[in-house]
Amino acid sequence: MSTPAHGSPGDPLARERSHLSASRSALRAMREDVEALDISDVTANWVNAQILERQIQERVKALADLSDTPLFFGRLDYLHAPGADRAEGAEGERFYIGRRHVHDADGDPMVIDWRAPVSQPFYRASRKDPLDVALRRRFGYTGGDLTAYEDERLSDPAEEATTSKLLQREIERPRVGPMRDIVATIQPEQDEIVRSGLSGSVCVQGGPGTGKTAVGLHRVAYLLYAHRERLARTGTLVVGPNRSFLHYIEQVLPALGELTVRQATVDDLVAHVEVRGADEAAAAVVKGDARMAQVLRRAVYAHVTPPTEPVVVVRGSRRWRVPAYELADIVRELLDRDIRYGAARDALPQRIAHAVLVQMERAGEAPDDRVQDAVARNGAVKAAVKAVWPAVDPAKLVLRLLTDADFLAAHAEGILTEDERKTILWARPVRLVKSARWSAADAVLIDEAADLVERTHSLGHVVLDEAQDLSPMQYRAVGRRCSTGSATVLGDLAQGTTPWATRSWTEALAHLGKPEAAVEELTAGFRVPTDVIAYASRLLPHIAPGLTPVASVRENPGSFEVRPVRDTADTVAACEESLRNEGSTGLIAADARVPALAEALTAAGVPYLAPGEETTAETRLTLVPASLAKGLEYDYVVLDEPRAVVDGEPDERTGLRRLYVSLTRAVSGLIVTHTAPLPAQLG
């Protein structure tokens, strides 16, 4: 293994720098070729021209050369040509592994996309199973400059196995700004999940620092590479817990050349109404319970009324009569088919018209499809459909359930208890949908009702991050978006901080509609220092008994201190101490204490950001309410008053989970400051 820092023109490092320079030139030529495309004679109309123009612009963006992002990070020297018969003695080939494919003017590859099959051994090869790799080379960069390399001769039994210093350095590198991709440091167990097929769904249980979010995002990138045409038609979506989180991860996929993946929160997906209210925890738990789906189904289909009158259609001098019993048979058949309410309602006039056409044929007439369509539009048929199968407005339906005690009781009988019904009923009657103070849980109910009426559009693949905090009804809402596609579910049962937090992945996946999904567990911690994760893991027996603690594999132990302080001024001093180090610092505190800490930071002249705002060289401190800390990470964290974090939640177990999340946001160092006694569970 070698790590030269400098090199003369004849040195390996100089040759690698030359290849980097040539690859950048080739990428620039690829981009210029796309920019020079003339589509004036290609398209027949302006619509196609605009679509093609947009596709060209997206391709140009995907070929951008980011100066501070290495174009390639590794090299593989094969013993034999991949796919060749080894008995023929075919000479091995050399491949540079990078974030995207780059070829020269002749079309020969200069950099291979990390997702290509030939790149897989970069992540999976080992001395025990070298996968025909003679040499694996890793590159080290400072900014965008190639400054070092390391070699592993996997086929040489005499060379001793050692830990990659460059790999450790990349994992532990300080972070400023949004989340980065991890293509240079993907581990074998992570790569196995990343490259799992599109047809199957995967659930990843991973503790803090195990890279589950990165694995999910890189799986999207891999699937887009392996199934681009299919996913271009069906679409992909990443669902995160809040806007701050989505802003933190939003640069990962574009850095890998993927620009078409939509990002949203669950609230974005179900935004049928404006959310202006909030539920008490007890009401939110009932509204989020999967039993509400049964209540809504009953309420929707209760609108169907068995017909009691015949339908009489007048055409010219003839009158055609469909008796009530025949109408009832048609309605019963549509109900038995269990299709969407709206689809059945649309089918009903055609079914009635068909019954009329049968009578016409028996009378010797020869009606065609145009006659059937005309009968279906007949006023008598329309009136019958309106009476038997009226239109349903999902928002109005949910509003009536939440404001009409008798209506709710009729459809929740045997499903919700009387106390549960009282819990979700609004105190004041509201008549208009627009004037209602809808909560986030109400919006999910409306989405469920809307899907009962009209099928929700399904995507090809959905990534659901921080899934442990979703209610059963929220899982159903996300599941509708991938009912004909697959899903990647990411989460940590120990970090569930909502009153309805997931108790088991088996239960959650059933609500999502993916009970067959494989559950994988990541237990190797790459980001959180050993002492920090060991301290936080003291809470696991109290918040998630039976869950495997994360084992930190970092060589750098980081720093950790529990520090009694007198007041907020001492906490600000701890922040200033952390800011003397390279990288970002997060001051995490109970939501109720954030205003006082903001005032103290301002008084001390320490600039700070809110979660979601990008750190800069001048402002590297973020003041983070504990409720928004999940999914974020900082090089150094100052955690203010653990007792206040616990007490800020409705119950102790939820508070301890919130504390576990807050304790595990640090990548290099953690200082816990407190004036009140620490929670007993921390020992």
Side-chain angles (χ1 to χ4, degrees):
M1 186 166 300
S2 54
T3 55
H6 307 283
S8 64
D11 286 342
L13 188 61
R15 290 196 294 272
E16 301 294 18
R17 285 171 173 163
S18 175
H19 186 78
L20 175 61
S21 177
S23 299
R24 289 197 183 281
S25 297
L27 179 62
R28 184 168 58 252
M30 290 170 62
R31 190 168 60 253
E32 290 170 350
D33 286 345
V34 176
E35 290 172 334
L37 287 174
D38 183 0
I39 62 171
S40 57
D41 297 327
V42 176
T43 58
N45 57 63
W46 69 272
V47 175
N48 289 340
Q50 282 196 325
I51 293 172
L52 187 55
E53 182 67 31
R54 186 171 67 250
Q55 290 174 338
I56 290 174
Q57 290 173 357
E58 289 177 352
R59 179 61 177 160
V60 170
K61 289 180 182 177
L63 291 171
D65 185 6
L66 308 177
S67 60
D68 59 345
T69 302
L71 198 55
F72 57 78
F73 48 81
R75 193 184 97 187
L76 289 177
D77 292 2
Y78 277 90
L79 289 169
H80 307 85
D85 185 350
R86 297 184 185 184
E88 298 175 358
E91 185 179 349
E93 293 185 68
R94 173 177 296 170
F95 298 98
Y96 287 84
I97 313 301
R99 286 167 172 77
R100 69 199 66 195
H101 174 86
V102 179
H103 59 254
D104 61 17
D106 297 323
D108 294 326
M110 300 191 71
V111 180
I112 300 292
D113 195 301
W114 65 276
R115 299 165 287 188
V118 76
S119 302
Q120 184 172 326
F122 183 79
Y123 304 106
R124 304 267 188 106
S126 64
R127 293 187 184 282
K128 185 180 292 185
D129 185 11
L131 300 176
D132 202 42
V133 172
L135 178 142
R136 173 168 55 202
R137 175 169 287 179
R138 299 182 189 276
F139 296 107
Y141 287 82
T142 303
D145 298 326
L146 199 163
T147 54
Y149 71 89
E150 281 182 345
D151 286 344
E152 292 176 88
R153 302 185 185 281
L154 300 178
S155 59
D156 185 355
E159 185 163 317
E160 202 172 310
T162 58
T163 303
S164 168
K165 299 296 183 184
L166 287 180
L167 184 62
Q168 283 291 333
R169 190 186 309 166
E170 175 64 20
I171 288 174
E172 297 172 9
R173 181 156 58 100
R175 295 192 173 189
V176 175
M179 181 180 177
R180 303 189 306 258
D181 64 69
I182 61 164
V183 288
T185 61
I186 294 174
Q187 299 300 293
E189 64 273 18
Q190 296 174 326
D191 188 65
E192 195 169 333
I193 297 170
V194 166
R195 294 177 193 266
S196 55
L198 176 61
S199 59
S201 294
V202 178
C203 174
V204 183
Q205 158 63 42
T210 55
K212 57 185 178 296
T213 295
V215 165
L217 294 174
H218 286 69
R219 187 179 182 215
V220 171
Y222 171 75
L223 292 175
L224 285 167
Y225 174 87
H227 308 277
R228 189 167 301 280
E229 287 188 11
R230 178 175 169 184
L231 289 177
R233 294 193 306 271
T234 56
T236 50
L237 170 69
V238 174
V239 181
N242 52 56
R243 284 275 143 214
S244 296
F245 178 85
L246 292 177
H247 181 72
Y248 176 61
I249 68 170
E250 68 183 357
Q251 295 304 318
V252 173
L253 289 169
L256 299 173
E258 302 299 345
L259 307 172
T260 60
V261 180
R262 181 187 166 202
Q263 295 185 346
T265 65
V266 174
D267 291 345
D268 294 332
L269 299 182
V270 300
H272 303 281
V273 292
E274 182 183 358
V275 173
R276 297 184 296 148
D279 288 311
E280 295 291 335
V285 169
V286 176
K287 290 178 181 179
D289 194 295
R291 292 174 296 160
M292 288 300 300
Q294 297 173 260
V295 176
L296 288 164
R297 173 172 281 276
R298 282 187 184 178
V300 168
Y301 283 93
H303 287 75
V304 179
T305 305
T308 57
E309 299 291 333
V311 174
V312 178
V313 176
V314 178
R315 284 185 60 81
S317 61
R318 301 294 299 271
R319 293 163 61 87
W320 307 97
R321 183 176 182 274
V322 181
Y325 74 85
E326 190 171 348
L327 287 177
D329 288 342
I330 294 172
V331 169
R332 193 177 304 111
E333 181 192 352
L334 287 172
L335 287 171
D336 290 343
R337 287 187 60 193
D338 197 29
I339 58 178
R340 294 298 194 280
Y341 183 93
R345 185 177 188 274
D346 292 341
L348 182 56
Q350 288 290 337
R351 296 298 179 90
I352 296 173
H354 177 73
V356 172
L357 259 65
V358 169
Q359 293 184 27
M360 289 180 176
E361 290 170 348
R362 287 173 180 167
E365 297 188 19
D368 56 19
D369 290 345
R370 288 174 298 177
V371 174
Q372 180 167 330
D373 289 339
V375 172
R377 295 193 299 270
N378 182 273
V381 174
K382 286 183 177 181
V385 170
K386 185 176 181 180
V388 173
W389 209 297
V392 171
D393 182 295
K396 289 181 179 178
L397 175 80
V398 173
L399 182 63
R400 188 178 177 191
L401 277 172
L402 297 177
T403 57
D404 185 334
D406 292 337
F407 187 70
L408 177 60
H411 301 298
E413 180 66 32
I415 300 175
L416 301 181
T417 67
E418 184 177 350
D419 286 343
E420 287 174 326
R421 297 199 299 270
K422 288 179 179 177
T423 299
I424 64 173
L425 273 171
W426 290 359
R428 297 178 180 176
V430 179
R431 292 186 178 182
L432 298 177
V433 168
K434 288 185 177 180
S435 61
R437 291 185 61 81
W438 298 106
S439 70
D442 297 333
V444 177
L445 296 179
I446 295 172
D447 190 70
E448 180 82 27
D451 184 68
L452 288 167
V453 176
E454 300 290 344
R455 182 182 296 278
T456 304
H457 173 66
S458 176
L459 300 167
H461 192 77
V462 172
V463 174
L464 176 58
D465 206 350
E466 300 296 347
Q468 72 281 343
D469 276 335
L470 268 61
S471 70
M473 291 298 286
Q474 287 175 316
Y475 276 115
R476 290 176 62 87
V478 176
R480 285 191 282 278
R481 271 75 187 177
C482 56
S483 58
T484 59
S486 56
T488 301
V489 181
L490 313 167
D492 180 12
L493 296 178
Q495 295 187 58
T497 51
T498 54
W500 50 82
T502 301
R503 291 171 293 187
S504 77
W505 290 123
T506 300
E507 182 182 323
L509 292 169
H511 294 313
L512 189 70
K514 306 293 180 186
E516 78 292 344
V519 179
E520 306 286 350
E521 188 171 9
L522 297 176
T523 58
F526 302 99
R527 298 297 295 168
V528 185
T530 301
D531 289 348
V532 173
I533 197 64
Y535 185 69
S537 294
R538 296 180 184 185
L539 299 174
L540 284 180
H542 308 282
I543 60 176
L547 204 62
T548 305
V550 172
S552 178
V553 297
R554 290 168 50 113
E555 286 197 340
N556 181 353
S559 60
F560 171 64
E561 180 186 355
V562 178
R563 181 183 297 178
V565 296
R566 294 165 298 180
D567 50 30
T568 54
D570 288 344
T571 299
V572 171
C575 293
E576 292 177 306
E577 181 181 324
S578 296
L579 287 168
R580 296 188 191 107
N581 300 299
E582 183 183 1
S584 59
T585 294
L587 170 55
I588 302 177
D591 292 30
R593 288 184 54 80
V594 166
L597 288 166
E599 187 177 331
L601 289 169
T602 301
V606 179
Y608 64 90
L609 304 167
E613 295 180 328
E614 191 168 328
T615 53
T616 64
E618 295 76 26
T619 308
R620 294 181 290 116
L621 175 66
T622 304
L623 177 56
V624 188
S627 62
L628 296 181
K630 192 170 299 176
L632 306 179
E633 65 177 28
Y634 303 91
D635 291 293
Y636 293 87
V637 166
V638 177
L639 176 59
D640 169 79
E641 293 293 357
R643 182 75 258 172
V645 173
V646 175
D647 292 344
E649 299 299 326
D651 59 83
E652 185 175 67
R653 181 171 177 145
T654 304
L656 291 173
R657 288 184 169 187
R658 184 77 71 191
L659 178 58
Y660 180 76
V661 171
S662 301
L663 284 167
T664 53
R665 301 304 94 200
V667 172
S668 297
L670 171 66
I671 300 175
V672 178
T673 62
H674 68 100
T675 56
L678 295 170
Q681 293 83 354
L682 285 175

